[in-house]
Amino acid sequence: MLTLCTATLLLFACNDKKKTDEGKTENTTSTTETKPEEKMDAKTETPPPMDSAAMMKAWQDFATPGAMHEWLAKTNGTWEAEVTQWMDAAAPPTKAKAVNVQSSALGGRYVIGKFTTTMMGQPMEGMSTMGYDNAKKMFTSTWVDNMGTGIVHMSGTYDEATKTLNLKGHQTDPMTGKDSDMREEMKMIDDNTYTLAMYGTGHDGKSEQKFMEGTFKRKNK
């Protein structure tokens, strides 16, 4: 009887071990099988290396000053104007003398301007950087002054027919801390005269308002 019981227990044990081993084999097979989503997509291929000669030419074209930079250089010099300023569309404007001194920098790639006037009875000075982006095919500019701590960014194109540089961008609204639309129109009357007008979002936060304009004359050397 003891021998019969022992043989029976060994038989069940062997059967259990066989089932367990079969289960392990099945699990191993299922876990090592590649999932459909993990298969290599034929369309996902490593892009071919960029042509070094094409890259070099692109950078040379991007870095070489051209006709638009020559146009910018014509604005170098000392310019004087009496500017009209509007702080509130409902109030009469104020007038002030202004001087803008511009000079080329970095091999003629940019023009740096230094602007001085008065605003709200306080001395006001600002600095501008103007360039022409050969890759984007547009003018870009920045502006900073002592009336704030933000940096104005604008970009746009030159209209040869009207000889007007049109720029659009944003400045910081100190009331909200968010960007506020602004734009600039600079029209060349002749080699020694240009008009400048600046526009921004009005006090209602919706309509556009002109806040500065003036006619600048080149100062004789």
Side-chain angles (χ1 to χ4, degrees):
M1 180 65 70
L2 181 60
T3 301
L4 180 60
C5 290
T6 302
T8 302
L9 289 174
L10 288 174
L11 179 61
F12 280 111
C14 289
N15 289 337
D16 289 340
K17 184 176 185 303
K18 182 178 179 181
K19 292 180 178 178
T20 302
D21 291 341
E22 289 176 353
K24 288 183 179 179
T25 302
E26 292 175 358
N27 290 338
T28 303
T29 302
S30 62
T31 55
T32 57
E33 184 179 355
T34 303
K35 296 180 179 180
E37 61 268 23
E38 293 178 350
K39 292 181 179 179
M40 179 64 70
D41 187 350
K43 295 181 180 179
T44 306
E45 298 178 355
T46 303
M50 295 186 66
D51 183 84
S52 58
M55 289 179 61
M56 182 61 69
K57 185 181 185 307
W59 274 107
Q60 288 178 342
D61 292 344
F62 181 58
T64 304
M68 293 295 95
H69 298 90
E70 293 176 3
W71 179 85
L72 271 177
K74 293 180 180 179
T75 65
N76 288 338
T78 300
W79 303 81
E80 298 177 325
E82 182 180 63
V83 295
T84 303
Q85 303 167 346
W86 290 266
M87 297 307 297
D88 187 343
T94 60
K95 295 184 180 294
K97 298 291 184 181
V99 177
N100 187 29
V101 181
Q102 298 199 158
S103 59
S104 292
L106 300 178
R109 292 170 177 82
Y110 305 94
V111 167
I112 309 299
K114 296 184 178 180
F115 186 87
T116 55
T117 186
T118 57
M119 182 176 290
M120 296 180 291
Q122 301 294 323
M124 183 260 196
E125 58 180 340
M127 295 181 62
S128 64
T129 302
M130 179 78 75
Y132 182 78
D133 191 315
N134 286 336
K136 293 182 177 179
K137 307 299 182 186
M138 65 173 54
F139 288 90
T140 59
S141 75
T142 62
W143 168 267
V144 293
D145 58 48
N146 64 332
M147 294 293 189
T149 54
I151 300 178
V152 177
H153 297 269
M154 290 192 292
S155 61
T157 57
Y158 178 69
D159 184 356
E160 180 63 35
T162 61
K163 300 196 180 299
T164 303
L165 177 63
N166 298 288
L167 301 175
K168 292 183 179 181
H170 300 91
Q171 64 179 346
T172 302
D173 182 348
M175 296 296 293
T176 64
K178 298 180 180 180
D179 284 343
S180 176
D181 292 338
M182 68 176 303
R183 67 183 181 93
E184 172 184 321
E185 291 181 357
M186 177 184 178
K187 183 174 183 178
M188 298 301 301
I189 306 302
D190 54 47
D191 289 343
N192 299 305
T193 310
Y194 72 85
T195 60
L196 182 68
M198 303 291 295
Y199 302 84
T201 304
H203 293 291
D204 60 2
K206 298 179 181 178
S207 60
E208 183 181 77
Q209 174 187 328
K210 181 187 292 187
F211 59 85
M212 194 274 284
E213 71 174 1
T215 300
F216 287 78
K217 296 281 188 178
R218 190 189 299 272
K219 184 178 179 180
N220 294 330
K221 297 182 179 179

